[in-house]
Amino acid sequence: MFYKFLRHDLRYGIFLHWKRCIVTFLMFFCLAFPHFLVLRIYELIHPDFFNVPVTTADYFFAMVGGCGQMEALDGAPSFFSIPTSWAVFVLWLLFVSLYYPFAELRGIGKQLMVLSGSRWNWWFSKCVWVSINTIINFLLAFLASTACALLLGAKFSMQANYYVASELQMHMQHLTSSTTWDMGTSFLFLCFALIAFALVQLALSVVIRPIFSYLAISAYLFAGIYIQSPWFLGNYLMAARYRLFIDTGVSVGQGFLILIWLIALCVLLGGICFSRMDILGGK
């Protein structure tokens, strides 16, 4: 029965929402373009960079990398700006997984659940749906950024140039490389971290209304912009703070273990809460 639930969710929660996929692609295509302007400024300041090939990884890293650690100087905050493109990226990927599970529950989901005789089949199906939906939208953002970069003359490569660090407000003296970085591991981990937070949002939506869970997760993630700590898990959504790129950053290995436990906890506790939830009364 689980596979029937999942097939239903993939059809009605993803395939029939192809217009949203187009919106996602176009939005991130446009969001990647400002990096082209930043690149032109960098080339004017550093003429020697003209001979360095710009890559598609540069564009995606600049769009979703977030920002470096915020520091204080003489008791006052140093110059710092919120990474807008990162905020749009994260908030959108959480938003597109927000409403379908419980909108479906208010519709045909109740009947399907009665026929299956198990709430856990419904719950596991929604957890898998959230994961797949997050991966699809992540890939759409990556493809959109790559398409924009290629149209603007970039070379397809998963190697990102170090100059992106200045755009992401990373501390140049702590960089792990002065040439390029391989972005494969960081992009995979970023996608995994987004899945984890989408599942946290799903589990929290069992207890409170989905919009409130979205706002709570968003507030928690934005707190992580100003505080670099393993306790603020939003840092794991910022590639610019990974120890792969900066030696004062957060550990991807440690983050993977924390997020694995977080996912397991959300799936288990969310399922228990949902199994006791009054679905006839609505949410």
Side-chain angles (χ1 to χ4, degrees):
M1 195 65 187
F2 165 77
Y3 299 104
K4 291 183 179 180
F5 269 115
L6 183 58
R7 185 173 58 189
H8 169 83
D9 289 335
L10 293 178
R11 180 182 179 186
Y12 290 97
I14 295 178
F15 298 142
L16 294 184
H17 288 271
W18 56 271
K19 292 181 180 178
R20 187 185 63 199
C21 293
I22 294 176
V23 170
T24 299
F25 183 89
L26 293 177
M27 179 173 64
F28 288 114
F29 184 91
C30 296
L31 202 60
F33 181 77
H35 176 69
F36 178 76
L37 303 179
V38 173
L39 178 61
R40 298 285 78 81
I41 296 174
Y42 189 87
E43 288 176 341
L44 290 175
I45 300 174
H46 304 277
D48 55 313
F49 189 75
F50 277 111
N51 297 323
V52 178
V54 179
T55 69
T56 53
D58 292 348
Y59 278 79
F60 193 62
F61 189 25
M63 185 175 72
V64 305
C67 62
Q69 181 179 1
M70 182 181 180
E71 290 185 349
L73 298 175
D74 299 325
S78 60
F79 173 77
F80 181 82
S81 60
I82 292 178
T84 306
S85 63
W86 171 85
V88 173
F89 170 73
V90 172
L91 293 180
W92 178 256
L93 262 67
L94 290 176
F95 179 77
V96 294
S97 295
L98 181 62
Y99 279 108
Y100 169 75
F102 294 96
E104 189 263 355
L105 180 62
R106 290 193 295 268
I108 196 175
K110 292 178 183 178
Q111 288 82 354
L112 294 176
M113 201 180 306
V114 171
L115 290 175
S116 72
S118 171
R119 293 192 179 197
W120 282 96
N121 282 331
W122 185 94
W123 175 251
F124 285 136
S125 175
K126 295 303 178 289
C127 290
V128 174
W129 176 86
V130 164
S131 301
I132 293 175
N133 189 57
T134 301
I135 292 172
I136 288 175
N137 284 277
F138 180 89
L139 291 176
L140 285 171
F142 176 76
L143 291 174
S145 170
T146 300
C148 180
L150 292 174
L151 287 175
L152 295 173
K155 170 189 175 184
F156 181 79
S157 173
M158 293 301 290
Q159 298 287 326
N161 289 293
Y162 71 94
Y163 79 92
V164 181
S166 61
E167 184 177 348
L168 298 178
Q169 306 177 63
M170 298 167 67
H171 300 294
M172 306 300 283
Q173 68 272 24
H174 294 299
L175 298 181
T176 58
S177 174
S178 59
T179 53
T180 62
W181 293 291
D182 184 358
M183 302 301 297
T185 300
S186 63
F187 288 170
L188 290 174
F189 179 73
L190 177 59
C191 183
F192 178 74
L194 284 165
I195 292 172
F197 275 98
L199 289 172
V200 171
Q201 179 179 259
L202 177 65
L204 195 57
S205 295
V206 176
V207 182
I208 59 178
R209 292 185 179 275
I211 186 61
F212 294 142
S213 70
Y214 179 72
L215 293 174
I217 293 294
S218 300
Y220 176 71
L221 293 179
F222 272 86
I225 296 177
Y226 299 95
I227 304 173
Q228 179 170 316
S229 166
W231 295 105
F232 285 85
L233 302 182
N235 285 278
Y236 293 115
L237 292 178
M238 293 190 185
R241 297 186 181 182
Y242 293 171
R243 200 171 295 170
L244 296 170
F245 312 123
I246 188 164
D247 54 26
T248 57
V250 295
S251 168
V252 168
Q254 181 187 47
F256 180 78
L257 294 177
I258 292 175
L259 294 177
I260 281 286
W261 279 103
L262 183 64
I263 289 173
L265 194 64
C266 288
V267 172
L268 178 61
L269 293 182
I272 292 174
C273 290
F274 179 73
S275 66
R276 300 177 180 179
M277 175 182 166
D278 177 18
I279 62 173
L280 295 179
K283 261 200 69 79

